[in-house]
């Protein structure tokens, strides 16, 4: 998934950098990292929603989620696990009706 996120960063934000050169814990924002800005953040949020089918619900969690490739991967994995658990609960509930 991390390689997919790195490819998303490069493709979606038109970075002039090879996806493989982006570190998993490299900051995405600020001068010490990729140097992304607020416009990039909006595009990245849309890309994550389209690519992985999960939404970042608010700005506070968004700034934490978008910190690094690792934080994005952890967020996507957690959201997908919650979606699967919710679906499994619904299926089990339906069986007992």
């Amino acid at each position: 998934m991390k390689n997919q996120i790195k490819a998303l960063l490069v493709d979606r934000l038109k970075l002039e950098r090879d996806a493989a050169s982006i570190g998993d814990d490299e900051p995405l924002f600020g001068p010490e990292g990729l140097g992304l800005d607020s416009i990039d953040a909006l595009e990245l949020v849309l890309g994550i929603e389209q690519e992985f089918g999960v939404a970042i619900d608010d700005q506070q969690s968004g700034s934490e989620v978008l910190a690094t490739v690792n934080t994005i991967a952890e967020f996507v994995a957690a959201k997908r696990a919650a979606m699967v658990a919710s679906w499994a609960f619904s299926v089990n509930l339906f069986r007992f009706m």
Side-chain angles (χ1 to χ4, degrees):
M1 179 185 320
K2 292 177 187 177
N3 289 336
Q4 200 175 354
I5 293 167
K6 292 175 186 182
L8 174 78
L9 284 164
V10 170
D11 295 342
R12 196 81 187 213
L13 304 178
K14 299 179 181 21
L15 299 179
E16 294 181 7
R17 185 167 172 177
D18 184 48
S21 73
I22 300 172
D24 293 347
D25 287 317
E26 182 176 353
L28 300 183
F29 294 86
E32 67 281 351
L34 291 181
L36 303 184
D37 61 22
S38 58
I39 301 297
D40 295 322
L42 293 173
E43 187 64 33
L44 187 52
V45 166
L46 290 173
I48 291 168
E49 289 180 11
Q50 291 174 351
E51 183 79 18
F52 299 106
V54 298
I56 299 173
D57 299 324
D58 61 67
Q59 187 175 2
Q60 175 62 34
S61 65
S63 60
E64 295 169 8
V65 168
L66 300 179
T68 67
V69 169
N70 274 336
T71 57
I72 295 171
E74 290 166 4
F75 173 80
V76 170
K79 280 286 211 174
R80 284 181 168 176
M83 290 166 50
V84 168
S86 175
W87 177 81
F89 176 77
S90 297
V91 168
N92 285 331
L93 183 63
F94 181 73
R95 285 189 352 205
F96 292 110
M97 294 179 114

